């Protein structure tokens, strides 16, 4: 039975917590894939197998920065702006399309108002969909880890600030869409991460409570999302965060 020894914090902790499992963790599997962790090491960190694991997308499962960079620069060029380099754009990723556009405009010396940000976001989003998966890739070991978790009966969800249609397009492209019982992307009618609503929507769709779930992401936005929802968070050691993973306040790294 899956069990958390105590409730997760309501806000990001300053240091990773020490977990006290009620039973010995599952035996280790050979770690043959260079993912941030294998399915067994998730269980070793958490003290057992969760009923559900919800993942962030960009910077966690998929290295999507090159396509985001290409689409953003196409949008900027259409307004006689830019270009921005890949490194700069990569560090802007993580809070949804509107925030990406706002950060890009500020990097170019503007102080944009909300109307300008929304107008350019409307121009950017279809270009991102058109860009598709020309340059992105799954991180090493992701597919094997997801399939291993699903084979053990762990329900999988996706919670991202990326528009949901584009997120689903990525999953279909890589042939892993059938592994996910819930996909929650950006919806104008719902607050975006770090609000708890998108993650709670994913868990509702999976039929799993917060006490039986885990959230995996790469940024402070993801850590805050999990803690706002009352769900423990694993921070991956790669991705797009400016801050090192061990300084994000996640429950596990």
């Amino acid at each position: 039975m899956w069990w958390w020894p105590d409730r997760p914090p309501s806000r990001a902790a300053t240091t990773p917590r020490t977990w006290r499992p009620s039973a010995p963790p599952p035996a280790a599997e050979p770690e043959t894939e260079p993912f941030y962790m294998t399915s067994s090491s998730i269980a070793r960190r958490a003290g057992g197998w969760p009923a559900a694991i919800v993942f962030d997308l960009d910077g966690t499962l998929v290295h999507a920065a090159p396509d985001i960079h290409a689409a953003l620069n196409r949008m900027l060029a259409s307004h006689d702006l830019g270009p921005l380099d890949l490194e700069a754009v990569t560090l802007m990723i993580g809070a949804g399309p509107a925030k990406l556009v706002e950060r890009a405009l500020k990097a170019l010396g503007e102080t944009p108002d909300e109307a300008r940000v929304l107008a350019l976001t409307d121009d950017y989003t279809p270009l991102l969909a058109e860009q598709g998966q020309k340059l992105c890739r799954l991180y090493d070991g992701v597919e094997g880890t997801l399939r291993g978790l699903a084979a053990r009966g762990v329900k999988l969800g996706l919670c991202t600030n990326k528009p949901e249609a584009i997120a689903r397009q990525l999953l279909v492209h890589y042939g892993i869409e059938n592994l996910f019982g819930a996909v929650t992307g950006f919806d104008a009618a719902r607050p975006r991460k770090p609000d708890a609503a998108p993650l709670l929507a994913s868990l509702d769709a999976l039929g799993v409570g917060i006490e039986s779930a885990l959230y995996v992401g790469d940024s402070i936005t993801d850590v805050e999302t999990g803690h706002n929802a009352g769900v423990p968070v694993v921070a991956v050691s790669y991705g797009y965060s400016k801050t090192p993973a061990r300084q994000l306040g996640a429950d596990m790294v």
Side-chain angles (χ1 to χ4, degrees):
M1 178 178 177
W2 176 248
W3 173 76
W4 286 107
D6 49 23
R7 287 183 60 81
S10 59
R11 57 186 175 82
T14 57
T15 57
R17 301 170 66 195
T18 300
W19 296 91
R20 301 182 301 279
S22 58
E29 297 169 353
E31 300 197 2
T32 58
E33 295 177 310
F35 188 34
Y36 66 97
M37 58 180 69
T38 61
S39 55
S40 62
S41 62
I42 290 177
R44 290 201 302 276
R45 282 164 171 77
W49 297 101
I53 300 178
V54 180
F55 292 86
D56 172 51
L57 183 60
D58 295 344
T60 300
L61 300 181
V62 177
H63 178 40
D67 284 314
I68 292 171
H69 171 249
L72 181 66
N73 272 338
R74 284 182 62 195
M75 182 277 289
L76 292 172
S78 71
H79 292 272
D80 297 320
L81 296 169
L84 293 169
D85 64 38
L86 176 59
E87 182 178 1
V89 172
T90 297
L91 295 176
M92 297 175 187
I93 296 170
K99 182 59 68 173
L100 174 73
V101 169
E102 178 185 342
R103 290 168 176 167
L105 292 175
K106 287 181 177 179
L108 293 169
E110 289 196 22
T111 306
D113 59 21
E114 183 178 3
R116 179 158 172 77
V117 170
L118 292 178
L120 268 64
T121 301
D122 286 344
D123 291 344
Y124 162 73
T125 302
L127 292 175
L128 181 62
E130 182 181 314
Q131 176 68 23
Q133 304 80 39
K134 295 175 183 175
L135 303 172
C136 69
R137 62 176 176 83
L138 288 177
Y139 286 107
D140 291 341
V142 164
E143 182 174 355
T145 298
L146 294 175
R147 292 192 183 281
L149 289 167
R152 290 183 178 273
V154 178
K155 296 181 179 181
L156 303 181
L158 187 75
C159 180
T160 175
N161 277 330
K162 205 180 198 82
E164 187 168 314
I166 298 176
R168 290 183 179 276
Q169 180 181 326
L170 274 167
L171 298 182
V172 169
H173 175 75
Y174 291 112
I176 56 175
E177 76 282 1
N178 63 315
L179 300 177
F180 290 87
V183 176
T184 306
F186 174 73
D187 182 340
R190 179 178 54 223
R192 66 172 183 260
K193 299 187 300 181
D195 193 278
L199 178 53
L200 293 176
S202 289
L203 292 175
D204 285 346
L206 292 172
V208 174
I210 61 173
E211 71 282 355
S212 303
L214 193 68
Y215 185 48
V216 180
D218 70 302
S219 69
I220 187 62
T221 297
D222 296 318
V223 173
E224 291 176 350
T225 300
H227 289 167
N228 287 338
V231 176
V233 182
V234 173
V236 299
S237 58
Y238 53 88
Y240 302 149
S241 175
K242 296 179 183 178
T243 305
R246 293 192 178 278
Q247 297 176 25
L248 292 175
D251 302 287
M252 293 160 273
V253 177

